[in-house]
Amino acid sequence: MSEDEPRLFGGNVTNLSSKEWRDHLRMVEAILFASSEPLSEATLAERLPRAADVSGLLRDLRQAYAGRGVNLVEVAGGWAFRTAEDLAFLLTREAVEPRKLSRAALETLAIIAYHQPVTRAEIEEIRGVSTSKGTIDVLLETGWIRLRGRRRTPGRPVTYGTTPTFLDQFNLQAIDDLPGLDELKGAGLLEGTPPPGFRVPVPSDGDELSDDEDPLGEDDDE
Amino acid sequence: MSEDEPRLFGGNVTNLSSKEWRDHLRMVEAILFASSEPLSEATLAERLPRAADVSGLLRDLRQAYAGRGVNLVEVAGGWAFRTAEDLAFLLTREAVEPRKLSRAALETLAIIAYHQPVTRAEIEEIRGVSTSKGTIDVLLETGWIRLRGRRRTPGRPVTYGTTPTFLDQFNLQAIDDLPGLDELKGAGLLEGTPPPGFRVPVPSDGDELSDDEDPLGEDDDE
Amino acid sequence: MSEAEGDSFEAPVRAERTDADADALHVDIRGFEGPLDLLLALARSQKVDLTRISVSDLAEQYLAFIEEARRIRLELAADYLVMAAWLAYLKSRLLVPKPENDDEPTGEELAAELAFRLKRLEAMRKAAEDLTARPQLGRAVMARGAPEPIGVKRQTRWQATIYDLLSAYASQRQREMVTVVRMRRRVVWSLTDARQALERMVGRIVDWTPIDQLLLRYLSDPSERTTVLASTFSASLELVREGRLELRQTGAFAPIYVRTKSGDDGQE
């Protein structure tokens, strides 16, 4: 590449001189640009040459795109290109009609997010009202929540949790990125009643079931 | 933007110093990124501040992305980001789908392994049921069996045998490593007293045709 | 209880106690999602931090609200009445000092629990707001509008283990073995068998006896009937030839009678 051509990436990017590094950067850029969904480092690693330093490449790429119209962001446990937040006003044409969720549905979503894994009975206890089946259905339809397993208690109720799509939608890197999570935890508000301290829940959207969850049966499609 | 931050775009981009130009570049970049279809200069102009020099911005942006993993290209109907052509291979993924052989296929495979060279009619005689062409096709697809030759009998039926890949798959050094009658009984796979004349053949998968086999013709691709 | 499903995110118009009509409760529970929601609205009207609300006052307000609703014959869902009963109980517990040896929670504990639940509900409402205020995908930030799909080259990897292979082979050869064994078990009465059976009886058949009656015990299985009869008949002919049995048949297909040859001393 001659000196006259534009330099690929910004000034303080490491290893700019290395052709291999540049090649790898191009590859990461191409793969991430092509996907509309976040890709994990592991997924990227699978598709890059074995020698590629994925973390380092991502760091460089993020820096190269910082301040640009499109940014490389860490979201939902992976990496994705997203338009810069300050340019949202330009993109109203691309904006999707926000899903109209009832207040009940949004509240239920928040409870599932912060208290997961959580059963319907627990949601109802928190809201102080019974949950119509439609609320959970609507949330399942958004793809933001999922059935996780079954609580190992009488009746073996289904437990709910959030999905990676939820993280992507709300621009969260991971579930412990939820706004105000630490304060809520500190205030003991994520603990069951009564007695407080009976369980110390930290929301977990991981696939591993918790100690008191069983896997869903084959026939669970509630 | 301080001098320490990475420069937004490559060296020979015009008007790099102008904040307004940079802002416009960011806008074009974001709009094109988010658009589901190529955008014409006219459409872009509509969505950009009135003062924006769309042609100049597009030229700069194209240059900035030249040589990168993603390029700004002019396609039918306007401008769009596209993966660099030389990186198209990154966007194909080989999905390996593990599949289990059907019971019928396994039985047929086992008979071919033990009784090779064996014709379809002979397989059917041993299995006591007819063997569909599909079963043989699936086995040929696995690469574990092959057409060996033709039996020197009326109708000149094709004879089947196993391949070296078969040995690899089942971790056998040689085909006669397949267990014989006593070993099958010892492993508890066969029970009871074998009737007179019952035997488990010692298989052989050599390339040399047996006395009653003819080589396959040129046109055999059954 | 319905949740006013289909409401947009905008909170429904709800009963509020304003300072202006502090004493004139505007009774309308349509906007509320259950008693806890109503309590939270009442608590907010105390205009103090939820941690410092007077649960006793709150209970009072709630009960007054319910009383008013009843007075104007407003239909109340059972939940509201259950909560009213519970709050009345709570009030009584708060007034009465805790008796000794009482396992029931104290009024203070009950009040604390109620306050906790109100705080938690409020916190979750705030969390829902915080969530929706985040820069959401498709609104504040956009993903690539024309993602370039990853072409998938599908490739099937066939799976089978040596165990699969051997058990498939063995079980099918096993069928062959079972078939053969079954044929052996299907009784084919040999001549020897028939002769032995007849010999056991010879000497005891004084009168003409139908041969099939003799063989009754061997004819329990209908599938064996033919072979038994055929073999027995052959064997009986042999014994006749040896002068140990007599056979008689009155006509074709008529019953065959057999008896020990008279005057025979049983010696060959």
Side-chain angles (χ1 to χ4, degrees), chain B residues 168-191:
Chain B
D168 284 348
Q169 170 68 28
F170 295 102
N171 212 1
L172 299 166
Q173 297 278 339
I175 195 69
D176 55 12
D177 275 358
L178 281 174
L181 177 59
D182 290 342
E183 289 152 313
L184 287 173
K185 284 182 71 173
L189 289 163
L190 272 179
E191 288 169 356

CSV table of all heavy atoms in Angstrom, one decimal, chain B residues 168-191:
chain,number,residue,atom,x,y,z
B,168,ASP,N,-11.5,-45.3,9.5
B,168,ASP,CA,-11.2,-44.1,10.3
B,168,ASP,C,-12.4,-43.9,11.2
B,168,ASP,O,-12.2,-43.6,12.4
B,168,ASP,CB,-11.0,-42.9,9.4
B,168,ASP,CG,-9.6,-43.0,8.7
B,168,ASP,OD1,-8.8,-43.8,9.2
B,168,ASP,OD2,-9.3,-42.2,7.8
B,169,GLN,N,-13.5,-43.9,10.6
B,169,GLN,CA,-14.7,-43.5,11.3
B,169,GLN,C,-14.9,-44.4,12.6
B,169,GLN,O,-15.2,-43.9,13.6
B,169,GLN,CB,-16.0,-43.6,10.4
B,169,GLN,CG,-17.3,-43.5,11.2
B,169,GLN,CD,-17.6,-42.1,11.8
B,169,GLN,OE1,-17.1,-41.1,11.2
B,169,GLN,NE2,-18.3,-42.1,12.9
B,170,PHE,N,-14.7,-45.7,12.3
B,170,PHE,CA,-14.9,-46.6,13.4
B,170,PHE,C,-13.6,-47.0,14.2
B,170,PHE,O,-13.6,-48.0,15.0
B,170,PHE,CB,-15.7,-47.8,12.9
B,170,PHE,CG,-17.0,-47.5,12.4
B,170,PHE,CD1,-17.3,-47.3,11.1
B,170,PHE,CD2,-18.1,-47.2,13.4
B,170,PHE,CE1,-18.6,-46.9,10.7
B,170,PHE,CE2,-19.3,-46.8,12.9
B,170,PHE,CZ,-19.6,-46.7,11.6
B,171,ASN,N,-12.6,-46.3,13.8
B,171,ASN,CA,-11.3,-46.4,14.6
B,171,ASN,C,-10.8,-47.9,14.5
B,171,ASN,O,-10.5,-48.5,15.5
B,171,ASN,CB,-11.6,-46.1,16.0
B,171,ASN,CG,-10.3,-45.5,16.7
B,171,ASN,OD1,-9.3,-45.4,16.0
B,171,ASN,ND2,-10.4,-45.1,17.9
B,172,LEU,N,-10.8,-48.4,13.3
B,172,LEU,CA,-10.3,-49.8,13.1
B,172,LEU,C,-9.0,-49.7,12.3
B,172,LEU,O,-8.9,-48.9,11.4
B,172,LEU,CB,-11.4,-50.6,12.3
B,172,LEU,CG,-12.8,-50.8,12.9
B,172,LEU,CD1,-13.7,-51.3,11.8
B,172,LEU,CD2,-12.7,-51.7,14.1
B,173,GLN,N,-8.1,-50.5,12.7
B,173,GLN,CA,-6.8,-50.6,12.0
B,173,GLN,C,-7.1,-51.2,10.6
B,173,GLN,O,-6.5,-50.8,9.6
B,173,GLN,CB,-5.8,-51.4,12.7
B,173,GLN,CG,-5.4,-50.9,14.1
B,173,GLN,CD,-4.4,-49.8,14.0
B,173,GLN,OE1,-3.7,-49.8,13.0
B,173,GLN,NE2,-4.3,-49.0,15.0
B,174,ALA,N,-7.8,-52.3,10.6
B,174,ALA,CA,-8.1,-53.0,9.4
B,174,ALA,C,-9.5,-53.6,9.5
B,174,ALA,O,-10.0,-53.7,10.6
B,174,ALA,CB,-7.1,-54.2,9.2
B,175,ILE,N,-10.0,-54.0,8.4
B,175,ILE,CA,-11.4,-54.4,8.4
B,175,ILE,C,-11.6,-55.7,9.2
B,175,ILE,O,-12.6,-56.0,9.8
B,175,ILE,CB,-12.0,-54.6,7.0
B,175,ILE,CG1,-13.5,-54.7,7.0
B,175,ILE,CG2,-11.4,-55.8,6.3
B,175,ILE,CD1,-14.2,-53.4,7.4
B,176,ASP,N,-10.5,-56.5,9.3
B,176,ASP,CA,-10.7,-57.8,10.0
B,176,ASP,C,-10.5,-57.6,11.5
B,176,ASP,O,-10.6,-58.5,12.3
B,176,ASP,CB,-9.8,-58.9,9.5
B,176,ASP,CG,-8.3,-58.5,9.5
B,176,ASP,OD1,-8.0,-57.4,10.1
B,176,ASP,OD2,-7.5,-59.2,8.9
B,177,ASP,N,-10.4,-56.3,11.9
B,177,ASP,CA,-10.5,-56.0,13.3
B,177,ASP,C,-12.0,-56.1,13.8
B,177,ASP,O,-12.2,-56.0,15.0
B,177,ASP,CB,-10.0,-54.6,13.6
B,177,ASP,CG,-8.5,-54.6,13.8
B,177,ASP,OD1,-7.9,-55.7,13.7
B,177,ASP,OD2,-7.9,-53.5,14.0
B,178,LEU,N,-12.9,-56.1,12.9
B,178,LEU,CA,-14.3,-56.2,13.3
B,178,LEU,C,-14.4,-57.5,14.1
B,178,LEU,O,-13.9,-58.6,13.7
B,178,LEU,CB,-15.2,-56.2,12.1
B,178,LEU,CG,-15.5,-54.9,11.4
B,178,LEU,CD1,-16.3,-55.1,10.1
B,178,LEU,CD2,-16.3,-54.0,12.4
B,179,PRO,N,-15.1,-57.5,15.2
B,179,PRO,CA,-15.2,-58.7,16.0
B,179,PRO,C,-15.9,-59.8,15.3
B,179,PRO,O,-16.9,-59.6,14.6
B,179,PRO,CB,-16.0,-58.2,17.3
B,179,PRO,CG,-16.6,-57.0,16.9
B,179,PRO,CD,-15.8,-56.3,15.8
B,180,GLY,N,-15.4,-61.0,15.6
B,180,GLY,CA,-16.1,-62.2,15.1
B,180,GLY,C,-17.2,-62.7,16.0
B,180,GLY,O,-17.5,-62.1,17.0
B,181,LEU,N,-17.7,-63.9,15.7
B,181,LEU,CA,-18.8,-64.5,16.4
B,181,LEU,C,-18.5,-64.6,17.9
B,181,LEU,O,-19.3,-64.1,18.7
B,181,LEU,CB,-19.1,-65.9,15.8
B,181,LEU,CG,-20.2,-66.7,16.5
B,181,LEU,CD1,-21.5,-65.9,16.5
B,181,LEU,CD2,-20.4,-68.0,15.9
B,182,ASP,N,-17.4,-65.1,18.2
B,182,ASP,CA,-17.1,-65.3,19.7
B,182,ASP,C,-17.0,-64.0,20.4
B,182,ASP,O,-17.4,-63.8,21.5
B,182,ASP,CB,-15.8,-66.1,19.8
B,182,ASP,CG,-16.0,-67.6,19.4
B,182,ASP,OD1,-17.2,-68.0,19.3
B,182,ASP,OD2,-15.0,-68.3,19.2
B,183,GLU,N,-16.4,-63.0,19.7
B,183,GLU,CA,-16.2,-61.7,20.3
B,183,GLU,C,-17.5,-61.0,20.5
B,183,GLU,O,-17.8,-60.4,21.5
B,183,GLU,CB,-15.2,-60.9,19.5
B,183,GLU,CG,-13.8,-61.4,19.6
B,183,GLU,CD,-13.0,-61.0,18.4
B,183,GLU,OE1,-13.4,-61.2,17.3
B,183,GLU,OE2,-11.9,-60.5,18.6
B,184,LEU,N,-18.4,-61.2,19.5
B,184,LEU,CA,-19.7,-60.6,19.6
B,184,LEU,C,-20.5,-61.2,20.8
B,184,LEU,O,-21.2,-60.5,21.5
B,184,LEU,CB,-20.5,-60.8,18.3
B,184,LEU,CG,-20.0,-59.9,17.1
B,184,LEU,CD1,-20.8,-60.3,15.8
B,184,LEU,CD2,-20.3,-58.4,17.4
B,185,LYS,N,-20.3,-62.5,20.9
B,185,LYS,CA,-21.0,-63.2,22.0
B,185,LYS,C,-20.4,-62.7,23.3
B,185,LYS,O,-21.1,-62.4,24.3
B,185,LYS,CB,-20.9,-64.7,21.9
B,185,LYS,CG,-21.8,-65.3,20.8
B,185,LYS,CD,-21.7,-66.8,20.7
B,185,LYS,CE,-22.3,-67.4,21.9
B,185,LYS,NZ,-22.4,-68.9,21.7
B,186,GLY,N,-19.0,-62.6,23.3
B,186,GLY,CA,-18.4,-62.2,24.5
B,186,GLY,C,-18.8,-60.8,25.0
B,186,GLY,O,-18.9,-60.5,26.2
B,187,ALA,N,-19.1,-60.0,24.0
B,187,ALA,CA,-19.5,-58.6,24.3
B,187,ALA,C,-20.9,-58.6,24.7
B,187,ALA,O,-21.5,-57.5,25.0
B,187,ALA,CB,-19.2,-57.7,23.1
B,188,GLY,N,-21.6,-59.7,24.7
B,188,GLY,CA,-23.0,-59.7,25.0
B,188,GLY,C,-23.9,-59.2,23.9
B,188,GLY,O,-25.1,-59.0,24.1
B,189,LEU,N,-23.3,-59.0,22.7
B,189,LEU,CA,-24.2,-58.5,21.6
B,189,LEU,C,-25.0,-59.6,21.0
B,189,LEU,O,-26.0,-59.4,20.4
B,189,LEU,CB,-23.3,-57.8,20.6
B,189,LEU,CG,-22.7,-56.5,21.1
B,189,LEU,CD1,-21.5,-56.1,20.2
B,189,LEU,CD2,-23.7,-55.4,21.1
B,190,LEU,N,-24.4,-60.8,21.0
B,190,LEU,CA,-25.2,-62.0,20.5
B,190,LEU,C,-25.4,-62.9,21.7
B,190,LEU,O,-24.5,-63.1,22.5
B,190,LEU,CB,-24.3,-62.7,19.5
B,190,LEU,CG,-24.5,-62.2,18.0
B,190,LEU,CD1,-23.5,-63.1,17.1
B,190,LEU,CD2,-25.9,-62.3,17.5
B,191,GLU,N,-26.6,-63.5,21.7
B,191,GLU,CA,-26.9,-64.4,22.8
B,191,GLU,C,-27.5,-65.7,22.2
B,191,GLU,O,-27.9,-65.8,21.1
B,191,GLU,CB,-28.0,-63.8,23.7
B,191,GLU,CG,-27.4,-62.7,24.6
B,191,GLU,CD,-28.5,-61.9,25.3
B,191,GLU,OE1,-29.7,-62.2,25.0
B,191,GLU,OE2,-28.2,-61.0,26.1
